[in-house]
Amino acid sequence: MTKARVSVLGLLASAGMLYGCATDDQAASALTNAANVAAVETASAATPATIDNFMLPDETLMGHELYRLADAKAIVIITQANGCPISRSLAPAVRELKAKYAGQGVEFLMLNSALQDSREAVAKEAAEFNFDVPVLLDSNQLVGEQLGVTRTGEFFVVDPKTWKVVYRGPLDDRRDYGVQKAVATHSWTADAIDATIAGRPALASNKQSPGCLIDFPERAKKAQHTKISYAKDVAPILEAKCVGCHQPGSIGPFSMTSYEMVKGFSPMIREVIRTDRMPPWNADPHVGQFKDDKSLTKAEIKTLVHWIEAGAPRGDGPDPLAKQRQAVSDWPLGKPDLILDIPSYKIPASGVVEYQRPAVANPLTEGKWIKASTYKIGSRQGVHHYLSGYIKEMPKPGEQANETRWGAGVGGYAVGAESTFWPTNVGTYLPPGGGVAFQAHYTPYGKEDLEKSQIGLYFYKDNELPDLMMRSTVVVDNTIVIPAGEARHKETAYVEFPKEALLYSAFPHAHYRGYASDLWIEYPDGSKKMLLSMPRYDFNWQREYTFAEPVKVPAGSKLVAHYWYDNSKRNPANPDATKEVVWGDQSFEEMFYTALRFRWTDETAKNQVNYDELMNQTRMMGMLDDNLDGKLQKAELKGQFGKQLAGFFGQIDRDSSGAIEKTELAAVQQMLFQRRRQAEQQQQAASPGGRR
């Protein structure tokens, strides 16, 4: 039996909660044993003067960064572990405390640092006991270690003006080992909150809390952290996960070329690891497995942080990072089979640049199968992203090749995601002629810059043509409406697959107010599975997440995306928290856009199918059907198009069921399609050279 488990049993006995205690002598014996265990294990870790910033997901996989709560009047952090009777019995009191300070700017968080508790188990415990407070998953124990957490039921009151821990201790004096009072004589936590709001010191600053002991194995090894080897333990992690960007000529702001450089930036390295800003990999490790995973493992995180907290000692051995490196190659995948010059663009020093949609003529005289693409970026500071797709005809002078005209995807670029790879024996067909169109997002950065970038395409050779065909689609919702000031506005959309497919990757995209995103599959029987979770979406680091194994998508399944947006003042990137925000190309507007790469399982390169029309028949439903019931209630009709539908709701709802069903919506779509075709024909006839 582990020490932690012994201490829990002792606590249960001391509280009179162990079943089968038939006699007073046995109960007294259990209490004595519990006291002995507590005497051995209670040595509390020191409370820090201040709390450092961190970002942790909660049990629902929503991210929480501490310092984004800087405008709060006080922050209360309560330690928790599953199965602990103290944690469970505190739930009603925590709800009462939260209600008492409702509207007064006090934030409440729970912290679970218990290594044995999975996310799913924490979510179940939180729901069963109605915690009504986010439970942060401190899986690496870095936050608990820094706070000196020892037991469950510890309340930490933090002053956000200084980030000082002004109080650490129990909620009040109602609970102790073997004792529980109906009414508290001392309300230490509430007193500390009142004092913090009033700007005065708390009367009590540090008291012992009764609760279940939490095992922090690294705490016992703290003396050994000074022996972590830079040469053998630290440098290899940096080489594998960081140096690719942090080297001369690459995109990292400093180069990890020596121990001295790493040590000089070590406080910053610790901060960006604790806040999950680096490495730039936003997929949560609790969900799914992905190829080319750039994240640090738990062991790597602990090694780096503990080494830095021990003073980043040099130790013995040669410096593995102090070596001559080859310059970053213009074409890291080798010389491309086809290089296309993206039309140059002069990025101004300041202001807002509308999305540009340049296009390049395709010089190929015969079709080719793409197996990879990569970008050579001219202005790494000024280019935010490129998306691209094949177009059958080059736009006329003055026209833009909007995304609605795109066919197959040719590959994208975002900071840290320069290349796109197709799986072995899978390709995208690029026909001869036509062109490649781009969506280009440029960002002014203080000085004028002439941006000249290229895309390189890599083809299958004639003797190694692929058997299978890659396709692309998007889960998109251009009807989003984000209310002014709302901190966690949620939007939902899906795309329904009419035939069986294999899903290879997902590329979530939003703008400055994007806060979190996920992707689920809902099977035809109604069961669901989460495929990708991003508790904190980072606009500055966008990438494609390729599943370690393709995900089977049975016919009739829905791929469902959720986005959460932070349109509040707490979002430091928010251009204006007072404005309602809708869909738009510019970064100060918003997007709901998850690009997917997939293939139909019954399609081959020699036997191609056209299921796009079937998929498009349900696309409008997927944008508006927030409750996923396959029909539209009037309350679900939002955005400009939704308002137009709402105005004709009674006419569209032909069976008077109170909802717009798939067949009724399909009739509307067909009518709109016919009108659009008529308008295009009229425009063609009116243009020079058109029919008279």
Side-chain angles (χ1 to χ4, degrees), residues 88 90-92 94-95 110 123-133:
R88 291 173 170 178
L90 278 170
V94 171
R95 291 195 298 272
M110 283 188 172
K124 183 179 179 182
E125 181 99 348
E128 184 177 352
F129 292 93
N130 189 21
F131 289 158
D132 195 32
V133 171

Side-chain angles (χ1 to χ4, degrees), residues 55-58 61-64 276 282-286 515-517 533-537:
M55 200 292 289
L56 292 176
D58 66 22
L61 291 177
M62 183 63 63
H64 298 263
D276 202 26
N282 300 120
D284 189 87
H286 295 92
Y515 187 85
S517 179
S533 174
M534 297 172 63
R536 272 296 306 279
Y537 170 82

Side-chain angles (χ1 to χ4, degrees), residues 380-578:
R380 286 192 171 271
Q381 290 176 282
V383 175
H384 182 272
H385 77 253
Y386 281 112
L387 300 175
S388 65
Y390 172 75
I391 50 176
K392 292 181 179 179
E393 295 180 354
M394 285 291 289
K396 296 175 182 177
E399 287 185 345
Q400 288 198 339
N402 290 322
E403 295 81 355
T404 54
R405 297 173 56 181
W406 293 8
V410 180
Y413 162 86
V415 180
E418 290 87 353
S419 302
T420 302
F421 301 92
W422 278 250
T424 303
N425 203 34
V426 179
T428 290
Y429 184 68
L430 180 65
V436 176
F438 298 86
Q439 181 197 89
H441 183 182
Y442 303 123
T443 304
Y445 62 95
K447 69 176 184 177
E448 191 176 275
D449 195 356
L450 183 62
E451 152 61 10
K452 294 180 179 180
S453 290
Q454 297 174 309
I455 182 173
L457 303 181
Y458 301 81
F459 302 133
Y460 282 94
K461 305 303 180 186
D462 291 339
N463 60 351
E464 57 170 11
L465 295 180
D467 294 326
L468 306 174
M469 185 170 184
M470 185 70 77
R471 291 187 176 270
S472 58
T473 189
V474 293
V475 185
V476 63
D477 186 356
N478 58 17
T479 71
I480 57 174
V481 179
I482 306 166
E486 190 164 330
R488 295 293 181 275
H489 177 75
K490 182 181 178 181
E491 293 279 359
T492 303
Y494 62 82
V495 60
E496 187 170 341
F497 278 68
K499 301 291 182 179
E500 184 181 270
L502 285 177
L503 176 67
Y504 284 86
S505 67
F507 193 129
H509 174 70
H511 290 166
Y512 289 141
R513 295 171 176 87
Y515 187 85
S517 179
D518 64 24
L519 181 68
W520 294 70
I521 181 169
E522 181 178 298
Y523 295 101
D525 65 1
S527 60
K528 300 176 183 179
K529 181 182 179 181
M530 189 184 294
L531 304 178
L532 170 67
S533 174
M534 297 172 63
R536 272 296 306 279
Y537 170 82
D538 189 341
F539 178 73
N540 296 301
W541 292 100
Q542 302 174 51
R543 66 170 60 250
E544 181 180 52
Y545 294 92
T546 301
F547 300 102
E549 296 293 335
V551 178
K552 184 177 179 181
V553 183
S557 298
K558 299 181 179 76
L559 288 178
V560 185
H562 303 102
Y563 280 77
W564 288 263
Y565 301 91
D566 185 353
N567 196 17
S568 73
K569 293 180 180 179
R570 285 183 172 173
N571 179 356
N574 192 348
D576 190 344
T578 67

